[in-house]
Amino acid sequence: MGNSLKAIVAFVPSDECQKYLLEDLEEMPVDKMVDLSGRQLRRLPLHICSFRELVKLYLSDNNLNHLPPELEQLQNLQILALDFNKFKALPLVVCTLKQLCILYLGNNKLCSLPLELRLLQNLKTLWIESNCLQCLPEVVCELSLLKTLHAGSNALRTLPAQLRCLQELRTIWLSGNLLSEFPPVLLDMPFLEVIDVDRNSIRFFPSLAHLPGLKLVIYDHNPCRNAPKVAKGVRRVGRWSEETPEPRKRSGAVIEITLNEKPSPPPGIKPEPE
């Protein structure tokens, strides 16, 4: 079915048209996964909510701005992808899905997250990149099992001090925000393995050599005059990353070092549905 035809049919709310968009998905698949990405959906078909053993639900790249309360029936759901939609607020019904481990909310229009998000105590991966967040919602700091946080391409200027409570956090992506200084709270998180602050406005980097778990720091595209000092074996991506932590100086002037081959940050792409 062509995308143009899908887009036209999506405006028609009849059950027949919705089934057409679903391409006759009547029964729960054996693999307990439903992928409705890119179907031009404007509402979630209710019969999907009857698949009570469903484990993975991908709704990426649609036109959704709300979800039905019947979604609460999917209490076995572990992965929910709502990225590339039109959500201005996270539907509270999502916060009732207490088995969720991975939640994709990127590329929407979210300005905040509800306090009810704290109910998702099994959440290990949260993607909230490319939204309208001016500060990291403090409720994120209550997700005690969180291992990966992708909050890039927002308008973050600081991080809450409570973030240090996330002792399971290993990877934090903050690329493309409005950070003018390296977030101090990250200096108190020795368990972090990957820190990405690419494309911000950081002018000075403190030493990160005391972070024993650190494996990779990405700090490129910042107006910095120094590279962060790191422990031996830690990979840096940015200016002077293959030199000593401090830039070379001559007659008081800073000479920038241009690398012939600059390694690219790991791609921020979520796994394909299995």
Side-chain angles (χ1 to χ4, degrees), residues 45-57:
L46 289 182
H47 82 275
I48 298 297
C49 300
S50 67
F51 299 165
R52 299 197 177 197
E53 299 302 314
L54 200 65
V55 173
K56 304 175 184 179
L57 178 56

Side-chain angles (χ1 to χ4, degrees), residues 63-216:
N63 294 302
L64 301 172
N65 58 24
H66 69 282
L67 294 172
E70 288 83 356
L71 189 72
E72 185 177 4
Q73 299 176 41
L74 303 183
Q75 285 300 311
N76 289 299
L77 206 61
Q78 296 179 23
I79 299 177
L80 178 60
L82 299 174
D83 48 333
F84 292 94
N85 276 285
K86 299 185 182 300
F87 291 102
K88 294 183 179 180
L90 179 64
L92 292 182
V93 66
V94 172
C95 301
T96 68
L97 305 174
K98 296 183 180 180
Q99 296 305 313
L100 277 183
C101 297
I102 302 176
L103 179 58
Y104 297 112
L105 300 175
N107 289 273
N108 279 285
K109 300 178 181 180
L110 302 175
C111 294
S112 63
L113 293 173
L115 293 178
E116 288 81 356
L117 189 73
R118 62 166 64 104
L119 299 175
L120 301 182
Q121 284 300 307
N122 284 306
L123 206 61
K124 295 181 179 180
T125 299
L126 177 62
W127 287 52
I128 50 176
E129 81 285 1
S130 299
N131 275 286
C132 304
L133 299 170
Q134 296 186 7
C135 60
L136 185 68
E138 292 186 4
V139 67
V140 172
C141 303
E142 300 184 44
L143 303 174
S144 59
L145 296 183
L146 200 65
K147 291 183 178 294
T148 300
L149 175 60
H150 194 328
S153 299
N154 280 285
L156 305 182
R157 295 180 181 275
T158 60
L159 295 180
Q162 298 93 317
L163 195 69
R164 63 169 59 92
C165 297
L166 297 184
Q167 297 192 13
E168 296 298 320
L169 194 65
R170 297 295 179 265
T171 303
I172 185 165
W173 306 93
L174 299 166
S175 174
N177 277 288
L178 301 176
L179 301 173
S180 59
E181 66 172 346
F182 187 83
V185 65
L186 300 184
L187 300 176
D188 296 329
M189 301 177 71
F191 35 80
L192 284 176
E193 296 179 358
V194 177
I195 298 175
D196 176 16
V197 289
D198 184 30
R199 299 184 186 279
N200 278 278
S201 300
I202 301 172
R203 294 186 174 275
F204 174 78
F205 280 96
S207 174
L208 305 180
H210 67 289
L211 300 179
L214 195 61
K215 298 178 180 178
L216 170 66

Side-chain angles (χ1 to χ4, degrees), residues 1-26 34-45 47-48 62-64:
M1 184 195 315
N3 286 335
S4 297
L5 182 55
K6 285 182 181 179
I8 295 173
V9 173
F11 277 100
V12 183
S14 70
D15 290 338
E16 290 76 11
C17 288
Q18 293 300 307
K19 288 182 179 180
Y20 182 58
L21 289 171
L22 294 177
E23 299 176 359
D24 296 324
L25 180 61
E26 296 292 342
V34 169
D35 186 356
L36 299 178
S37 301
R39 302 292 184 94
Q40 303 290 333
L41 296 176
R42 294 179 177 274
R43 62 185 177 93
L44 179 65
H47 82 275
I48 298 297
N62 281 294
N63 294 302
L64 301 172

